[in-house]
């Protein structure tokens, strides 16, 4: 018992000394903290933000998450004293610069190109922009336009594929189509999917209440258990909903039926009323909600 108490006392004493040393270092740091240091921190923060802003719509974000997982894993095995695992992971980190160049070569080139085209300036303006959220009325109009257009296309058996982007950015898919960034109207949706339209074969991407792109190519699902009666549009809708959290609306060219795909699941035989309810519950924001705080508004603004 006395030995155990002595060990505990020594542990508490060492912990106290560590805390005192930490605050001493912090005090010394702020003692030499000046205007140049503030500018330095702000500059690094803005650069990091702009890099993330440019690559967040690409698969590079998934690679970054994987690298962060490896970092956390290395800290764990190092803390537990797992020498063999630590040796392997240490070899990875000793060549991290080469790995980054190999993995993120296209993204690094894209960052430099975007900065050269003025993307850095536009991203900085976006930070300072006072608008912080998609207006509820704008999203209501978008949902209303899509539902009315789907009703018309269902009656005329006009095929359509409409993707509503959510948290997962679809930059790779958007880059395969034509950028529009247009206000969503019933007429625009119908014209895009008109059989003789040059964009009717691809998917329409709706981001932040606007028709962001059209004629986009979606990944097909690899699920072998899907009914053979489903066409390419339905398979593409399931595919993109499996790889992201997007909500996809499909109008069948053969039957005129409306379907909704989310999380790899396809809900068929959806009426326009049910479609309106699904879109409303997923995308309309209640401005009176107590959860609708400034931070969430700012985050949504950063995604636009």
């Amino acid at each position: 018992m006395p030995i155990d108490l002595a060990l505990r006392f020594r542990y508490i004493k060492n912990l106290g000394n560590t805390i005192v040393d930490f605050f001493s270092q912090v005090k010394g740091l702020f003692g030499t903290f000046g205007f140049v240091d503030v500018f330095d921190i702000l500059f690094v923060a803005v650069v990091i933000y702009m890099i993330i802003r440019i690559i967040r719509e690409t698969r590079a974000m998934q690679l970054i998450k994987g690298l962060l997982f490896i970092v956390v894993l290395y800290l764990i095995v190092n803390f537990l004293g797992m020498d063999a695992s630590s040796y392997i992971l240490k070899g990875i980190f000793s060549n991290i610069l080469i790995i980054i160049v190999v993995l993120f070569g296209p993204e690094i080139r894209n960052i430099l190109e975007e900065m050269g085209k003025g993307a850095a300036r536009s991203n900085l303006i976006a930070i300072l922009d006072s608008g912080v959220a998609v207006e509820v009325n704008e999203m209501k109009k978008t949902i209303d336009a899509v539902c009315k257009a789907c009703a018309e296309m269902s009656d005329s058996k006009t095929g359509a594929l409409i993707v509503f982007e959510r948290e997962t950015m679809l930059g790779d898919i958007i880059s395969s189509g034509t950028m529009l960034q247009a206000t969503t109207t019933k007429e625009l949706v119908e014209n895009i999917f008109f059989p003789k339209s040059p964009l009717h074969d691809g998917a329409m991407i709706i981001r932040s209440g606007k028709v962001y792109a059209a004629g986009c190519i979606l990944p097909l699902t690899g699920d072998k258990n899907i009914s053979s009666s489903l066409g390419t549009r339905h398979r593409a809708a399931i595919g993109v909903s499996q790889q992201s959290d997007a909500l996809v609306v499909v109008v069948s060219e053969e039957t005129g039926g409306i379907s909704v795909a989310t999380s790899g699941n396809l809900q068929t035989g959806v009426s326009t009323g049910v479609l309106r309810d699904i879109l409303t519950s997923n995308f309309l924001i209640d401005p009176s909600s107590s959860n609708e705080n400034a931070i969430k508004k700012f985050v949504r603004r950063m995604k636009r």
Side-chain angles (χ1 to χ4, degrees), residues 282-297:
N282 280 276
F283 296 101
L284 277 188
I285 302 160
D286 183 4
S288 61
S289 173
S290 59
N291 294 327
E292 186 58 27
N293 53 44
I295 295 178
K296 290 186 177 181
K297 290 180 179 180

Side-chain angles (χ1 to χ4, degrees), residues 85-288:
S85 301
S86 297
Y87 177 79
I88 294 174
L89 294 176
K90 190 177 295 183
I92 294 175
F93 288 113
S94 62
N95 299 288
I96 191 64
L97 290 178
I98 298 176
I99 293 174
I100 288 176
V101 171
V102 172
L103 291 179
F104 301 104
E107 284 73 23
I108 293 173
R109 183 169 59 251
N110 182 52
I111 289 172
L112 296 176
E113 290 176 354
E114 291 295 328
M115 293 181 69
K117 291 188 296 185
R121 182 178 58 185
S122 61
N123 287 333
L124 182 59
I125 293 174
I127 301 176
L128 304 176
D129 198 332
S130 59
V132 292
V134 178
E135 293 292 337
V136 174
N137 289 335
E138 183 179 355
M139 200 62 196
K140 283 183 178 179
K141 292 178 180 178
T142 297
I143 292 175
D144 184 63
V146 169
C147 290
K148 289 181 178 179
C150 287
E152 293 285 345
M153 292 186 293
S154 177
D155 291 339
S156 62
K157 293 186 179 181
T158 301
L161 187 55
I162 305 172
V163 181
F164 284 81
E165 184 186 66
R166 292 202 272 196
E167 295 299 321
T168 304
M169 309 301 288
L170 304 175
D172 291 340
I173 293 174
I174 289 173
S175 63
S176 68
T178 301
M179 298 282 291
L180 297 178
Q181 301 190 47
T183 301
T184 309
T185 63
K186 170 179 171 293
E187 293 76 15
L188 176 61
V189 175
E190 291 179 354
N191 284 335
I192 287 176
F193 291 110
F194 184 72
K196 294 184 179 180
S197 167
L199 301 176
H200 80 282
D201 276 337
M204 172 192 294
I205 310 296
I206 293 183
R207 171 187 287 181
S208 301
K210 292 186 178 297
V211 178
Y212 201 80
C216 300
I217 300 173
L218 302 185
L220 299 179
T221 179
D223 192 346
K224 303 298 183 181
N225 297 321
I226 293 177
S227 173
S228 58
S229 62
L230 296 178
T232 304
R233 285 191 179 90
H234 294 85
R235 294 177 181 274
I238 296 172
V240 72
S241 69
Q242 287 174 333
Q243 298 184 17
S244 69
D245 61 352
L247 185 150
V248 191
V249 179
V250 186
V251 180
S252 173
E253 188 175 354
E254 288 76 21
T255 66
I258 300 175
S259 305
V260 176
T262 54
S263 303
N265 299 313
L266 186 69
Q267 181 180 353
T268 59
V270 176
S271 66
T272 53
V274 173
L275 175 61
R276 187 182 298 272
D277 291 339
I278 293 174
L279 295 177
T280 299
S281 63
N282 280 276
F283 296 101
L284 277 188
I285 302 160
D286 183 4
S288 61

